[in-house]
Amino acid sequence: MTNVSCYLLGERAIVIDVACHITTQPKLNQKLFALKKWLDSSDAFIDVVPAMSSITAYLINPEKIKQWQQVIVEKWNDLEMDSFESKLHHISVNYGGEFGQDFGDVANRLALTHEQLIRLHTSVDYQVQFMGFLPGFAYLSGLPAQLHLPRKSTPITHVPKGSIAIADSYTAVYPCGSPGGWHLLGQTDSTLFDAESESVCLFQPGDTVRFVEKSC
């Protein structure tokens, strides 16, 4: 299987993994998202779960696991790198002050002015790498290297809904109030998770997110 490993996990799961190909991983991730979309459309799986550099597909009928492993190999080799088109989301953000309790501390630790911090955070388009932690919580890759900070050593008990945060090489939006250990830069009014909505989660793996500073 070109540029990827494909192996069985238990009796009904198939893992497609590109973790060992770091130099071409952004393009391979696009291909993974295209594969996920195709697997979802097959109606042969209970769930198709993307992670940082892999997909795990859980079959409805475990008797077909070997057959599907071969089908996935063949499909992967036929997929084009740019065959996935992502949906773009614009997220309006109030930075700092009452909206981002760690904003000033982050700026000081990184030796940035407040303007530079905002400019850096809004300077790139982020990709929804995978979902986790909370319903609707998307790990967004692409954070500029100048903004990389480890998670807090001591998490706080309550992060407000809509908080924009950074940790390690990711940024994220908290879809609801919860405990959390990321650094809070700001807040958005956008709703990321709505159990009554048809789509439920605003962000989907492979989507693109662009943060925009909210005008006063």
Side-chain angles (χ1 to χ4, degrees):
M1 195 173 188
T2 306
N3 297 325
V4 73
S5 60
C6 181
Y7 57 90
L8 306 184
L9 182 67
E11 296 180 348
R12 65 170 70 239
I14 303 171
V15 179
I16 306 96
D17 190 352
V18 300
C20 60
H21 300 278
I22 301 301
T23 57
T24 56
Q25 191 162 313
K27 289 184 178 180
L28 286 176
N29 280 335
Q30 290 295 104
K31 197 170 179 178
L32 276 177
F33 296 134
L35 181 64
K36 179 188 183 301
K37 183 177 180 180
W38 178 77
L39 292 170
D40 284 334
S41 68
S42 72
D43 295 325
F45 297 89
I46 300 168
D47 201 3
V48 181
V49 183
M52 183 170 66
S53 55
S54 67
I55 290 174
T56 303
Y58 297 87
L59 271 167
I60 294 172
N61 184 357
E63 294 180 1
K64 295 184 177 181
I65 193 166
K66 288 284 189 178
Q67 175 185 337
W68 266 102
Q69 184 183 23
Q70 181 59 38
V71 169
I72 290 171
V73 169
E74 294 171 356
K75 184 63 180 179
W76 176 268
N77 290 331
D78 288 340
L79 279 172
E80 297 294 332
M81 285 286 192
D82 58 355
S83 60
F84 178 81
E85 293 184 9
S86 66
K87 182 177 181 180
L88 175 63
H89 304 271
H90 289 84
I91 302 298
S92 181
V93 183
N94 285 304
Y95 285 97
E98 62 184 294
F99 303 104
Q101 67 180 53
D102 302 316
F103 183 88
D105 179 62
V106 169
N108 289 336
R109 290 179 63 181
L110 298 176
L112 298 170
T113 67
H114 291 189
E115 292 76 15
Q116 288 172 329
L117 176 51
I118 295 171
R119 192 179 309 123
L120 277 169
H121 192 254
T122 58
S123 66
V124 300
D125 289 345
Y126 299 92
Q127 185 173 70
V128 179
Q129 202 73 44
F130 56 97
M131 313 294 289
F133 176 53
L134 293 167
F137 188 99
Y139 287 76
L140 308 178
S141 63
L143 185 69
Q146 300 97 311
L147 299 183
H148 290 191
L149 278 176
R151 287 168 53 91
K152 295 178 178 179
S153 56
T154 304
I156 60 175
T157 58
H158 179 70
V159 175
K161 174 184 177 181
S163 291
I164 312 298
I166 59 174
D168 298 319
S169 60
Y170 290 100
T171 189
V173 186
Y174 280 78
C176 60
S178 77
W182 293 35
H183 306 277
L184 310 183
L185 300 185
Q187 199 169 0
T188 181
D189 295 328
S190 298
T191 298
L192 271 71
F193 178 79
D194 182 358
E196 304 300 322
S197 172
E198 182 178 348
S199 60
V200 183
C201 295
L202 177 64
F203 298 156
Q204 296 296 321
D207 284 358
T208 301
V209 178
R210 182 177 299 167
F211 293 110
V212 181
E213 183 181 12
K214 189 172 184 179
S215 301
C216 298

